[in-house]
């Protein structure tokens, strides 16, 4: 049991001989326990050096070793669900000496990535996709006459999503040869919720079951002869009626388990036997998230991911600036105090969305629906139909998964649902799977929607209140991390819907900023003597402000941390064209590409959305239009 993360690279003599799973398969089975100890210690060291996902990888060390030991990877396909548990897999598949580059620019990705390794058979980052993907691979092998195995590894949290069950029912229909490993650790990122998790965790603890069990034993105890054997058989029969075997075998899978997924002596022979079976197989394993590291075992939520471990110093702590998710969380509690009909909804991201305090203060008004984004939105729609005021806290990248429900169930019916859209824009080390690069583009084309993009912490608080007061679907998008440190005003005052603010008056160039890039845009404007408008709203636009700026400036520049294609700048261009203006426009935003992981500030710099990038792009445009001297002549 490890209690501290090592700051020095540990000695791992056996692990150092493994540069590919083929070398792993040459080991004696008795050597696997030593390998698991070394792999776990090396994982502790490397994540301490780089930061990243933590507890999930520790929990699947033995499973990862066993899968690569039994299956002929990469010919046999391993598909990891979500992918935050993939670090041991990366270490064993030729990337051990590159683990110090994890989540750094040009380094290893924090999730499986097909371009990175042939062992990463499917790129992931969102939950509940593994069974569908592995089934597709199994069908492809069958159609091509290839004797190849496909294995999906999915957690009990991800199994709560409807997509997983859609894949299970289709796998039964096809009869494809595949294995689903259900990794049951009672956790996803937050504590699991929902009926399926309750089913797993409480099936043997129900009052009814134990009452029947006790009563039956009491009666049978009075009967002489073989009553003891009858009682045992009756108990096993009762278990069969409520166990997971019944659930999955009724769905058409051959179910095995649950077994200890951290015990190689059980895991390896079980997988060896399952590899020979035909048709859809389900192996249910029980593991411990954070296994082998005592603090993570005791606090699996807190150790889901960690930051880089820095040597301790005597320097005092810097004053902390609240994260945007915490600004949302405080607003939610304050708003709930004023409005008894407010209810909060999250698809399994209570802590990540800043809702922990709300869940504790207003437990009867808090709904964690598990990893089920589609259900979250239609649940909110039903609540809004009958007098409640739902607030849905959801990451931008996860809102994509419920797009049909957003359009059909909420916007089409013009229902009063407020969205706190977290992680808008680039998200740093989590990379393109988690980037909120498209929400302005896919939201603004939906009728009845109001879309706000606040520029700082206080604007976020006030625009959340404004969106909540609006009697229809309204979204407020804000980024990951902290803001510029603007003091928040406790009083909540609704602003005029669709009304922007002119923050700086200048000449020649007018910068229309949507969101938290306002500081960088303003700094660039100081050099250029440009006007700056904090637009606040993407829909509806402040057309009066746009008219004023278009009539008094020679160049319009739009700035947003969203895809340029279809984004806020496109909305401005559409309006100017419809209104008959004929002046040049420069759109600054995210390019038509998936942007790799890295530090957020470096990512912004790479796409020209920091102060120097904005300044250089505007100056280049001005030079093309013969409206300005070269950049070198500007002080």
């Amino acid at each position: 049991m490890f209690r501290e993360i090592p700051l020095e690279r540990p000695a791992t003599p056996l692990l150092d001989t493994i540069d590919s799973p083929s070398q792993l398969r040459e080991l004696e089975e008795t050597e696997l326990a030593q390998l698991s100890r070394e792999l776990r210690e090396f994982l502790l060291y490397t994540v301490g050096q780089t930061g990243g996902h933590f507890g999930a990888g520790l929990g699947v060390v033995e499973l990862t070793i066993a899968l690569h030991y039994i299956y002929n990877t990469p010919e046999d396909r391993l598909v990891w669900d979500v992918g935050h548990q993939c670090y041991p897999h990366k270490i064993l598949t030729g990337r051990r000496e590159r683990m110090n580059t994890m989540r750094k620019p040009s380094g290893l990705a924090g999730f499986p990535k097909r371009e990175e390794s042939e062992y990463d058979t499917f790129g992931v980052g969102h939950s509940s996709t593994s069974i569908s993907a592995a089934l597709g691979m199994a069908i492809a092998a069958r159609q091509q006459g290839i004797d190849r195995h496909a294995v999906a590894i999915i957690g009990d949290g991800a199994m709560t999503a409807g997509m997983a069950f859609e894949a299970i029912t289709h796998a039964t229909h096809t009869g494809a040869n595949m294995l689903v490993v259900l990794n049951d650790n009672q956790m996803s990122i937050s504590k699991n919720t929902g009926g399926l998790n309750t089913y797993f965790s409480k099936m043997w603890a129900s009052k009814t079951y134990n009452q029947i069990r006790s009563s039956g034993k009491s009666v049978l105890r009075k009967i002489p002869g073989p009553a003891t054997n009858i009682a045992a058989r009756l108990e096993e029969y009762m278990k069969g009626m409520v166990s997971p075997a019944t659930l999955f075998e009724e769905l058409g899978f051959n179910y095995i388990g649950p077994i200890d997924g951290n015990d190689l002596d059980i895991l390896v022979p079980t997988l060896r036997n399952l590899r020979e079976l035909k048709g859809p197989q389900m192996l249910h394993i029980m593991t411990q998230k954070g296994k082998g590291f005592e603090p993570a075992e005791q606090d699996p939520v807190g150790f889901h991911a960690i930051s880089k471990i820095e040597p301790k110093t005597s320097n005092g702590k810097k004053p902390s600036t609240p994260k945007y998710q915490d600004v949302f969380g405080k607003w939610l509690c304050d708003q709930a105090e004023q409005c008894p009909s407010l209810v909060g909804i999250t698809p399994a991201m209570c802590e990540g969305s800043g809702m922990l305090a709300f869940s504790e203060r207003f437990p009867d008004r808090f709904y964690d629906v598990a990893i089920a984004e589609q259900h979250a939105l239609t649940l909110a729609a039903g609540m809004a139909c009958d007098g409640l005021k739902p607030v849905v806290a959801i990451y931008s990248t996860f809102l994509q998964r419920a797009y049909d429900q957003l359009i059909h169930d909420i916007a089409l019916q013009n229902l009063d649902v407020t969205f706190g859209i977290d992680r808008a824009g680039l998200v740093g080390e989590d990379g393109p799977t988690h980037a909120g690069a498209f929400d302005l583009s896919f939201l603004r084309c939906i009728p009845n929607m109001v879309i706000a993009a606040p520029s700082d912490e206080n604007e976020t608080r006030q625009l959340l209140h404004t969106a909540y007061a609006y009697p229809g679907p309204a979204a407020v998008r804000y980024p990951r991390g902290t803001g510029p440190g603007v003091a928040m005003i406790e009083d909540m005052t609704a602003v005029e819907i669709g009304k922007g603010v002119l923050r700086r008056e200048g000449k020649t160039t007018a910068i229309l900023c949507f969101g938290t890039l306002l500081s960088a845009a303003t700094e660039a404007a100081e050099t250029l003597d440009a006007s700056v408008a904090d637009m606040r709203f993407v829909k509806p636009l402040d057309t009066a402000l746009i008219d004023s700026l278009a009539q008094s400036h020679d160049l319009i520049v739009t700035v947003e941390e969203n895809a340029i294609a279809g984004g806020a700048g496109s909305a401005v261009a559409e309006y100017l064209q419809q209104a008959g203006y004929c002046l040049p426009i420069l759109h600054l935003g995210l390019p038509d590409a998936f942007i790799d992981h890295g530090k957020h500030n470096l990512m912004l710099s790479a796409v020209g959305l920091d102060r120097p990038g904005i300044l250089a792009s505007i100056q280049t445009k001005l030079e093309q239009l013969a409206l300005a001297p070269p950049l070198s002549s500007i002080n």
Side-chain angles (χ1 to χ4, degrees), residues 90 137 159 203 212 340 409 428 508 537:
K90 295 200 176 196
M137 295 172 185
M159 189 64 89
M203 59 187 175
I212 295 173
D409 298 338
T508 307
F537 292 91

Side-chain angles (χ1 to χ4, degrees), residues 266-486:
I266 298 173
L267 198 54
V268 169
T270 301
L271 287 171
R272 184 178 288 118
N273 291 334
L274 282 169
R275 193 175 187 273
E276 304 306 315
L277 299 180
K278 302 296 183 181
Q281 310 293 322
M282 172 78 71
L283 174 61
H284 185 176
I285 66 171
M286 307 295 291
T287 61
Q288 184 170 19
K289 194 169 185 179
K291 174 73 174 176
F293 185 63
E294 185 174 326
E297 290 183 0
Q298 296 175 355
D299 182 15
V301 175
F303 281 89
H304 170 72
I306 63 171
S307 301
K308 177 180 177 181
I309 303 299
E310 302 286 357
K312 295 179 180 179
T313 66
S314 59
N315 294 335
K317 293 183 178 180
K318 295 180 180 180
S320 60
T321 301
K323 296 179 179 179
Y324 278 101
Q325 67 199 52
D326 298 326
V327 174
F328 167 81
K330 184 178 187 307
W331 164 80
L332 188 65
C333 290
D334 293 345
Q335 194 76 61
E337 290 281 5
Q338 299 181 9
C339 183
S341 60
L342 183 151
V343 291
I345 301 172
T346 177
M349 294 302 296
C350 176
E351 287 84 3
S353 293
M355 297 184 76
L356 184 59
F358 178 83
S359 70
E360 294 171 346
R361 289 178 57 185
F362 305 95
D364 295 337
R365 295 156 64 180
F366 171 71
Y367 296 90
D368 186 338
V369 302
I371 304 175
E373 295 89 353
Q374 293 170 305
H375 167 60
L377 267 65
T378 305
L379 173 71
M383 290 175 167
C385 284
D386 279 357
L388 295 182
K389 290 268 290 182
V391 176
V392 179
I394 189 167
Y395 288 11
S396 171
T397 186
F398 298 149
L399 182 57
Q400 297 163 185
R401 312 187 95 193
Y403 194 49
D404 178 68
Q405 288 70 29
L406 176 60
I407 295 173
H408 190 272
D409 298 338
I410 294 176
L412 179 62
Q413 303 183 87
N414 201 24
L415 294 175
D416 189 0
V417 179
T418 303
F419 294 90
I421 302 179
D422 199 348
R423 270 60 168 184
L426 301 175
V427 292
E429 290 87 346
D430 281 345
T433 59
H434 284 56
F438 312 110
D439 54 83
L440 294 184
S441 301
F442 69 67
L443 284 173
R444 76 173 191 85
C445 63
I446 303 175
N448 295 330
M449 287 294 305
V450 165
I451 309 164
S455 56
D456 58 43
E457 300 95 324
N458 184 59
E459 285 285 297
T460 300
R461 178 176 173 84
Q462 304 306 328
L463 288 176
L464 282 165
H465 177 70
T466 302
Y468 184 78
Y470 176 75
V476 181
R477 56 115 60 178
Y478 43 90
R480 179 184 185 182
T482 59
V486 174

Side-chain angles (χ1 to χ4, degrees), residues 48-117:
Q49 294 293 303
T50 64
H53 292 107
F54 190 68
L58 290 171
V60 298
V61 165
E62 290 80 10
L63 174 63
T64 306
I65 290 172
L67 286 169
H68 282 294
Y69 191 70
I70 295 300
Y71 287 91
N72 184 32
T73 55
E75 178 61 23
D76 289 336
R77 311 302 202 216
L78 301 184
V79 183
W80 300 92
D81 208 281
V82 183
H84 55 235
Q85 75 280 59
C86 74
Y87 292 14
H89 161 79
K90 295 200 176 196
I91 293 169
L92 293 174
T93 54
R95 289 167 277 184
R96 181 183 66 249
E97 300 307 318
R98 294 189 63 212
M99 290 299 290
N100 64 339
T101 70
M102 179 66 69
R103 293 157 44 99
K104 296 179 181 178
S106 302
L108 296 179
F111 300 92
K113 186 176 182 181
R114 283 172 56 85
E115 300 91 332
E116 189 176 290
S117 170

Side-chain angles (χ1 to χ4, degrees), residues 37-205:
R37 288 193 297 272
E38 292 184 12
L39 178 54
R40 184 167 276 113
E41 187 172 10
F42 183 75
L43 180 64
L44 285 168
Y45 164 72
T46 58
V47 180
Q49 294 293 303
T50 64
H53 292 107
F54 190 68
L58 290 171
V60 298
V61 165
E62 290 80 10
L63 174 63
T64 306
I65 290 172
L67 286 169
H68 282 294
Y69 191 70
I70 295 300
Y71 287 91
N72 184 32
T73 55
E75 178 61 23
D76 289 336
R77 311 302 202 216
L78 301 184
V79 183
W80 300 92
D81 208 281
V82 183
H84 55 235
Q85 75 280 59
C86 74
Y87 292 14
H89 161 79
K90 295 200 176 196
I91 293 169
L92 293 174
T93 54
R95 289 167 277 184
R96 181 183 66 249
E97 300 307 318
R98 294 189 63 212
M99 290 299 290
N100 64 339
T101 70
M102 179 66 69
R103 293 157 44 99
K104 296 179 181 178
S106 302
L108 296 179
F111 300 92
K113 186 176 182 181
R114 283 172 56 85
E115 300 91 332
E116 189 176 290
S117 170
E118 62 181 334
Y119 293 93
D120 292 0
T121 61
F122 194 73
V124 292
H126 289 189
S127 81
S128 316
T129 62
S130 61
I131 304 177
S132 297
L135 175 58
M137 295 172 185
I139 292 172
R142 183 173 66 186
Q143 287 197 192
Q144 297 172 74
I146 301 172
D147 183 17
R148 184 170 63 212
H149 296 269
V151 181
I153 305 98
I154 184 170
D156 52 323
M159 189 64 89
T160 62
M163 185 175 175
F165 280 89
E166 292 171 10
I168 285 174
T169 56
H170 188 223
T172 300
H173 175 72
T174 65
N177 295 328
M178 66 177 298
L179 170 65
V180 175
V181 179
L182 173 57
N183 177 29
D184 189 351
N185 62 18
Q186 301 291 301
M187 293 292 299
S188 52
I189 296 175
S190 302
K191 293 183 178 180
N192 283 334
T193 62
L196 184 64
N197 178 67
T198 302
Y199 181 73
F200 287 151
S201 62
K202 295 184 178 179
M203 59 187 175
W204 307 131

